[in-house]
Amino acid sequence: MDIRSYIDDLKEENLLVNFDDVSFDVSNIAYDSKKVSNGTLFVCKGAAFKKQYLEEAIEKGACCYVSEDCYDVNIPQIRVGDIRKAMAVIAGRFYDHPDRKLTLIGITGTKGKTTTAYYIKAILDTFLLNSGKKPAGILSGIFNYYGKDYEESSLTTPETFELFEKLSNAAENGLEYLVMEVSSQALKYHRTYGLMFDFAGYLNLDEDHISPGEHSDFEDYKASKLLLFKACDVAVLNKDSEHYEDFLNECVDAKKVISFSSKGLDADYRACDINAKNGVLEFNIVYHDASRDTDEPVRKSNFTILSSGEFNIDNALLATSIGSELNVPYEDMKEALYNVKVPGRMEVVKSRGGRIAIVDFAHNKLSFIKLFEAVKKEYPDKKIAIVFGTPGGKAYDRRALMGMIAAKNADKVYITEDDPYREKAEDICEEIRAEAVKYSDDIVVVLNRQDAIKRAAEETDAEWIILIAGKGIENSIKRKEGWVPMEPDNKCIERVFCEIESRKG
């Protein structure tokens, strides 16, 4: 594709400041000098960008560079006013606007994005496979799939060039649908700029990701989430959320707005007759069918999810609302939700001797509150132990908040590492402990995560339930030296339960 097409696109989006005389066919786009080849259009991005990176790109074959600043180098420049938006425009042109070839579904919220994405994929897969078609694609915080093999995810929403490449691969591999989590960081930094979502779903909103490297305050966090609803055909909103009206007001360009509720509000899709017990959720769905000449609601009964956590009803409602709008038969949706498993999300691990642990990705205030509410309701006779930590370098306010919530709700608290990165794990743990001890005396710090899980299991018995929060099924931990292999939490507690019961004979 001739470079002039990219310049024209940037001009159309009012991003072009000026450009040098340039003419060549773009055969590659990159922002990492290690990925440059002949014919590359190179993008200079990031606060830490150095001229050295551009010089390395030129040596490897970059023919032109795009940046907000000028550099004294011997290749032409395209100067733009916003490099993040420019990247999305460039990627859209290079990958031929892959969102236009897919039914693209985006999910956002503070809690539940991954589970909802899995529910939607399960619903679509059941319908598609029953119709002899290929399964849906997914970009999530656990795995990605775009038509060939599943791959582990490194970011909730990939960087711009990688995101458009994956969408392009999905379209080229013949997929019709793709569901993706859309993070606040992706929206704030315009990774999804220019994409048009066929469906955009909103779950909930609570304070999170507030730190110098993320969002300056809650309003900035909320404003980022709202951006998704400026670029969708159909918006699906949780009417139970206190921020429902904020999101509704952003949907002025949407062709249709759908609401759902699990709290009895007058919404398009409502859950009722909810029963949550011993890791099983049962509920009915009531909705109005515009195709029928009646005001009477349609009741679809007997939905069952083999998972703990009544909050998963909201995730299921969002998923089934989208499924219904896509004309997926309710029998397919019921089958999908009954069979779906979301790795590391409210994952129940049971031992032969009756021990129970729940492994969950709960990593912020809202998810912690919901986790304890669910466990206390579904396992009222169990004492609770929890193993958790908070990450380094971000979301500093989680430390005191989660320490307080854990100490108020658990009978034993084991504080440990969770991606400390450049910080010392012991310093993070001490910040959590300092708040937790204000509310409970049974607080211990065990720095090594596997050791903390083992100690929690050894100091409890079948009268307890052990919650292991924050990492899900992740098989590495981020320390100062980088990502270090780690036994996933679910495998660790399975092993520890077996070892303890083997010793007891």
Side-chain angles (χ1 to χ4, degrees):
M1 182 72 68
D2 187 83
I3 186 64
R4 291 283 177 174
S5 299
Y6 294 84
I7 293 171
D8 289 343
D9 288 350
L10 292 168
K11 184 176 181 179
E12 186 175 338
E13 291 293 322
N14 294 316
L15 295 171
L16 187 66
V17 176
N18 54 53
F19 63 96
D20 296 329
D21 185 29
V22 58
S23 179
F24 75 100
D25 284 335
V26 178
S27 60
N28 183 33
I29 57 174
Y31 60 86
D32 183 346
S33 59
K34 298 182 181 65
K35 297 182 179 180
V36 171
S37 57
N38 287 331
T40 294
L41 178 60
F42 185 72
V43 174
C44 307
K45 84 165 182 76
F49 184 83
K50 299 177 182 178
K51 181 183 177 184
Q52 169 192 342
Y53 304 148
L54 176 55
E55 292 170 339
E56 291 172 357
I58 294 170
E59 288 178 8
K60 293 182 178 180
C63 294
C64 179
Y65 74 97
V66 183
S67 69
E68 294 178 4
D69 301 315
C70 296
Y71 297 94
D72 184 17
V73 293
N74 61 354
I75 62 171
Q77 179 198 24
I78 299 173
R79 191 172 184 185
V80 296
D82 188 322
I83 196 65
R84 291 284 185 172
K85 289 183 178 179
M87 285 180 67
V89 171
I90 290 166
R93 168 61 63 178
F94 187 79
Y95 290 108
D96 193 24
H97 305 287
D99 54 307
R100 300 174 186 175
K101 305 168 188 176
L102 298 162
T103 296
L104 188 61
I105 303 166
I107 305 300
T108 201
T110 301
K111 172 180 170 52
K113 295 186 295 296
T114 299
T115 299
T116 303
Y118 265 72
Y119 285 179
I120 295 171
K121 176 172 168 55
I123 286 170
L124 291 172
D125 286 356
T126 302
F127 169 62
L128 291 166
L129 294 174
N130 286 344
S131 305
K133 297 182 177 181
K134 291 185 177 182
I138 186 170
L139 300 178
S140 77
I142 304 178
F143 293 112
N144 296 328
Y145 173 76
Y146 36 90
K148 291 187 178 179
D149 298 323
Y150 281 83
E151 64 178 26
E152 286 190 27
S153 173
S154 57
L155 285 174
T156 301
T157 310
E159 281 285 358
T160 306
F161 285 180
E162 288 80 2
L163 170 59
F164 278 77
E165 180 183 22
K166 293 179 193 303
L167 295 178
S168 177
N169 288 339
E172 289 178 2
N173 289 329
L175 302 191
E176 296 179 42
Y177 301 87
L178 187 137
V179 56
M180 60 180 285
E181 298 180 48
V182 187
S183 69
S184 61
Q185 292 288 287
L187 291 161
K188 178 174 181 175
Y189 294 111
H190 305 299
R191 293 180 206 161
T192 62
Y193 183 79
L195 292 179
M196 191 65 185
F197 290 85
D198 296 276
F199 291 85
Y202 163 65
L203 287 161
N204 46 58
L205 195 69
D206 194 50
E207 287 196 14
D208 197 24
H209 298 290
I210 312 299
S211 73
E214 298 174 287
H215 298 281
S216 57
D217 53 30
F218 177 72
E219 288 305 313
D220 180 60
Y221 177 55
K222 181 171 71 172
S224 298
K225 293 286 192 184
L226 290 170
L227 290 173
L228 178 61
F229 298 88
K230 294 178 180 291
C232 68
D233 285 335
V234 180
V236 187
L237 308 178
N238 185 354
K239 200 167 186 178
D240 298 329
S241 168
E242 63 179 294
H243 302 286
Y244 169 77
E245 293 292 337
D246 294 326
F247 283 82
L248 180 63
N249 291 337
E250 292 299 316
C251 299
V252 290
D253 293 325
K255 297 175 183 176
K256 188 175 184 179
V257 178
I258 298 163
S259 62
F260 65 91
S261 170
S262 62
K263 309 296 183 188
L265 297 182
D266 183 18
D268 297 301
Y269 292 85
R270 291 177 284 131
C272 60
D273 306 321
I274 297 170
N275 182 42
K277 190 175 182 180
N278 295 327
V280 178
L281 298 173
E282 297 175 330
F283 60 99
N284 296 328
I285 292 178
V286 175
Y287 78 107
H288 290 280
D289 186 352
S291 67
R292 299 170 74 244
D293 188 22
T294 176
D295 291 331
E296 290 298 313
V298 177
R299 180 183 292 263
K300 297 294 181 180
S301 303
N302 303 322
F303 278 84
T304 301
I305 303 175
L306 302 181
S307 175
S308 293
E310 196 170 306
F311 50 80
N312 278 317
I313 300 294
D314 285 344
N315 303 331
L317 267 177
L318 176 47
T320 52
S321 298
I322 290 175
S324 182
E325 294 298 317
L326 288 170
N327 297 315
V328 176
Y330 262 77
E331 290 304 314
D332 286 353
M333 290 197 277
K334 288 167 65 175
E335 178 186 344
L337 291 182
Y338 183 80
N339 291 315
V340 68
K341 298 286 188 297
V342 186
R345 268 60 175 177
M346 295 304 287
E347 182 175 342
V348 178
V349 179
K350 294 183 179 181
S351 76
R352 292 182 180 179
R355 303 288 302 274
I356 300 176
I358 293 179
V359 175
D360 190 63
F361 194 63
H363 63 285
N364 55 37
K365 183 184 80 172
L366 180 61
S367 58
F368 246 42
I369 291 171
K370 295 296 184 181
L371 174 61
F372 281 112
E373 285 179 353
V375 170
K376 288 182 177 183
K377 182 172 183 177
E378 295 177 40
Y379 301 91
D381 299 328
K382 296 285 188 183
K383 290 182 284 187
I384 299 173
I386 187 166
V387 180
F388 79 101
T390 62
K394 62 180 182 180
Y396 302 106
D397 59 335
R398 288 183 192 168
R399 300 173 188 182
L401 279 170
M402 292 170 66
M404 174 189 69
I405 295 166
K408 284 185 173 183
N409 289 278
D411 300 285
K412 288 180 179 289
V413 176
Y414 298 85
I415 302 169
T416 190
E417 60 181 341
D418 182 344
D419 297 338
Y421 195 26
R422 293 193 178 100
E423 291 189 67
K424 292 182 179 179
E426 52 264 46
D427 292 344
I428 298 172
C429 290
E430 176 54 30
E431 287 187 47
I432 300 170
R433 190 200 69 84
E435 185 68 20
V437 295
K438 297 176 183 178
Y439 306 95
S440 172
D441 295 327
D442 213 336
I443 313 289
V444 294
V445 172
V446 184
L447 289 179
N448 180 275
R449 193 171 182 90
Q450 284 69 46
D451 289 346
I453 292 171
K454 182 178 180 180
R455 182 165 170 181
E458 288 178 337
E459 294 182 352
T460 58
D461 55 28
E463 294 182 357
W464 292 73
I465 187 166
I466 302 172
L467 310 181
I468 307 171
K471 295 287 286 178
I473 61 165
E474 293 178 5
N475 60 8
S476 60
I477 190 164
K478 197 173 190 180
R479 297 187 178 127
K480 187 175 182 180
E481 62 270 30
W483 287 102
V484 178
M486 179 194 76
E487 184 179 28
D489 290 349
N490 56 346
K491 300 300 182 185
C492 181
I493 190 62
E494 283 179 2
R495 174 180 57 79
V496 169
F497 277 165
C498 287
E499 290 173 355
I500 291 172
E501 293 182 357
S502 294
R503 290 199 302 266
K504 293 180 179 179

